[in-house]
Every structure is written in C-alpha cells, then in structure tokens.
Amino acid sequence: MKLPASGGCQCGGVTFTITADPIMHYACHCHSCQKRTGSAFSMGFLVMEESFDVSGEVTAWSRTSDSGNTNTRYSCAGCGNIIYGLGDTTPGMAKVQSGLLDDTSDVEPELHMWTCRKQPWVTLPAGAPAFDKEADAMEMLQAALDYRAARGG
Ligand SMILES: [Zn+2]
Ligand SMILES: [Zn+2]
C-alpha cells in the first residue's frame, strides 16, 4: 500500500491518514462483524495509533466481548460509517476499516479469523492464513507476516 494512505467516510465528515505500513490486514468472519457491517465479513488494518491520524467528529460505542474485553468503535457523527475501533487486546493500536481507503485497489486481507462462521460461498485464497476462531495475537501476527513475505510484500 502506498503511504501515506488516505480514507474517510461516505459523507466526508471524517477523514484519516495512515502514515506507516499496517501491522496486519485481517478479515473477520465472526457473527458480530457480520452484524455490524451487514455483510459476510469485516476487513481491518491493525495500525499503531501514532501512525493513524483521524479528523472530524466521531461518536463512540463500547461493547464487552464474550471473553470480557472492552471494544470501542468510533463512527462518523454525520453518516454513521464505522471508522475504527480500539480494544483491550490490542493496546496502542487502532483497527481501521480498510474499505474506507480512498484507493482500495490493493486491499487484500493477510489473515482470516473466525472462519468457523464463514459464509459457505466465501472461498479463501490458497495459502492465506485462516484461524477457526482467534489465536494468540503474536501467532496471528507471525502468520500474517509470513504470508505477506510469501507474496513478496
Ligand atoms: Zn460521515
Ligand atoms: Zn469479528
């Protein structure tokens, strides 16, 4: 992905810039992500908070996951598009909705999680790391980095 990468919501009220390569780009097929996106899966970039600049008015909503962790997501106050999230399990990092980039032409997940809830018609690319649920963060990160290296990225 070309840096800096810019993105924003549909109404233009919130814009952001990513200034360093994401740590990981993932797709999550869990039911909660299906609900919040109204789609088959969500896609997100995990980025260090210091390399993510967001401007515009956002509203926050927090939810406690089944495992007891708090996740807060931030949405545009105008159009309601979800912009990013912060969570207990990823301190110092933001989970940015990758479909919001202005240029989504090379947005491809490096890892798939919660594939136990994957829609049956979704076929994952050969060799893409896939986890039935979620694994240890370091294990998932290593799998994503290995896949990135194998693809020449
Ligand atoms: Zn908006
Ligand atoms: Zn999910």
Side-chain angles (χ1 to χ4, degrees), residues 64-80:
T64 303
S65 74
D66 294 345
S67 48
N69 296 303
T70 302
N71 289 301
T72 305
R73 77 180 59 130
Y74 296 86
S75 304
C76 170
C79 67

Side-chain angles (χ1 to χ4, degrees), residues 9-14 76 78-81:
C9 64
Q10 284 181 295
C11 79
V14 175
C76 170
C79 67
N81 284 183

Side-chain angles (χ1 to χ4, degrees):
M1 135 175 162
K2 278 200 206 89
L3 297 172
S6 60
C9 64
Q10 284 181 295
C11 79
V14 175
T15 56
F16 64 82
T17 308
I18 294 173
T19 56
D21 267 328
I23 298 159
M24 173 166 95
H25 183 212
Y26 64 90
C28 183
H29 300 258
C30 81
H31 193 224
S32 170
C33 284
Q34 289 172 350
K35 267 199 186 287
R36 71 183 176 82
T37 58
S39 187
F41 55 87
S42 68
M43 292 195 305
F45 287 125
L46 196 59
V47 295
M48 296 306 294
E49 279 188 83
E50 58 264 27
S51 50
F52 174 63
D53 291 317
V54 60
S55 63
E57 192 187 343
V58 293
T59 57
W61 185 70
S62 293
R63 169 179 178 277
T64 303
S65 74
D66 294 345
S67 48
N69 296 303
T70 302
N71 289 301
T72 305
R73 77 180 59 130
Y74 296 86
S75 304
C76 170
C79 67
N81 284 183
I82 298 172
I83 310 295
Y84 70 105
L86 300 176
D88 284 348
T89 58
T90 50
M93 293 172 235
K95 294 178 272 192
V96 184
Q97 303 289 291
S98 47
L100 297 175
L101 283 182
D102 294 331
D103 177 7
T104 54
S105 61
D106 65 353
V107 170
E108 182 181 338
E110 298 163 319
L111 178 141
H112 295 261
M113 63 177 90
W114 284 95
T115 54
C116 62
R117 299 302 296 267
K118 182 175 76 59
Q119 296 288 343
W121 50 266
V122 174
T123 304
L124 303 185
F131 292 84
D132 201 36
K133 292 183 176 169
E134 284 176 59
D136 172 68
M138 288 313 292
E139 188 186 336
M140 291 199 294
L141 179 58
Q142 191 58 54
L145 287 175
D146 289 347
Y147 185 61
R148 186 185 295 188
R151 292 169 59 230

